[in-house]
Amino acid sequence: MRDYSSSWRLLLLALVAGTACTDGGKTTPGVSEPASATAPARFPCVHFEELRPFLPEKLEGLIRGRDGGSTGRYGDVSVSEAERNFTRGEEREVKVRIVDTSLGTKLGQAIKAAADESRNRAQSDPTAPIFWKDAVGFVRYDETTGLAEASLLVGNRYVVAVSSRGFPGTVEVRRVARGIDLEGLARLHQAPGGPDRQGKEHPW
């Protein structure tokens, strides 16, 4: 099936590329780095297994697929993500992804900016932004393809992306997003660090 939940991925890839292209951290030849510089940095993101409980257990009328999740470092960037998809044949699909990343500040700024830009849209507009107690986000909808996506910043840290295919408008992505324990996720502000438990689970 086509992966139509790509907006935040493109944004994330752009930010990763921007980070990877920096020329910082080089040492002078012949000069040893201090022990603090060579010691592995503590992992700044929560493990994907701790994000997974916030994914919806079931969605009415849809069949739950296998989970996906990963936690790891990519150069200077750390990312954890948990994902779950639901389908009904080839006609309908809903995908939910929760992300914690060391680039969260930049992603959050981008999401807030997109939401603010569409603040004046009427609530009847399928692409009206989301301003909830624990989340702010923007919504996109392609009437031609029937693809919808809501990208939310939760607790000023976590990114929640809900996408749907085969549903009219953006009602489904809003409903699914509302059903997530956003308040609980916002409180998942564990102290950064802890064991660097990198790992990956492939969804298929």
Side-chain angles (χ1 to χ4, degrees):
M1 291 185 181
R2 179 182 177 185
D3 183 358
Y4 50 86
S5 180
S6 58
S7 301
W8 77 268
R9 280 186 179 277
L10 293 175
L11 178 59
L12 181 58
L13 286 172
L15 292 174
V16 170
T19 303
C21 289
T22 58
D23 195 29
K26 290 187 176 180
T27 58
T28 304
V31 178
S32 299
E33 293 185 80
S36 59
T38 58
R42 294 174 71 80
F43 199 70
C45 305
V46 301
H47 196 267
F48 75 88
E49 291 175 347
E50 298 174 70
L51 299 175
R52 180 172 289 167
F54 295 95
L55 296 170
E57 288 291 328
K58 58 183 179 180
L59 295 178
E60 185 177 355
L62 298 175
I63 298 174
R64 175 173 158 177
R66 293 183 61 188
D67 292 350
S70 64
T71 291
R73 296 181 189 274
Y74 309 92
D76 294 331
V77 179
S78 299
V79 182
S80 281
E81 64 173 352
E83 177 182 299
R84 181 169 293 157
N85 77 314
F86 302 82
T87 60
R88 192 180 74 184
E90 295 289 335
E91 303 168 358
R92 289 189 169 183
E93 182 178 18
V94 172
K95 185 179 297 184
V96 183
R97 182 182 290 114
I98 302 176
V99 181
D100 185 22
T101 173
S102 56
L103 292 176
T105 299
K106 292 182 179 181
L107 279 174
Q109 291 172 347
I111 290 174
K112 288 179 178 178
D116 285 336
E117 287 178 4
S118 55
R119 183 184 289 272
N120 294 327
R121 294 178 184 174
Q123 288 300 307
S124 58
D125 188 327
T127 60
I130 291 173
F131 290 99
W132 295 338
K133 177 183 176 182
D134 299 293
V136 58
F138 66 92
V139 183
R140 294 179 177 177
Y141 178 60
D142 187 332
E143 187 174 356
T144 303
T145 60
L147 308 182
E149 180 180 49
S151 298
L152 290 77
L153 176 66
V154 179
N156 211 35
R157 172 171 177 172
Y158 303 100
V159 175
V160 174
V162 181
S163 51
S164 72
R165 175 176 56 83
F167 293 87
T170 59
V171 174
E172 185 67 9
V173 292
R174 294 176 190 273
R175 183 186 71 81
V176 173
R178 273 287 193 189
I180 296 172
D181 181 11
L182 299 175
E183 181 179 358
L185 179 60
R187 290 200 305 265
L188 191 65
H189 281 269
Q190 301 180 12
D196 191 349
R197 296 185 297 148
Q198 298 187 53
K200 176 169 289 188
E201 175 179 323
H202 297 284
W204 298 282

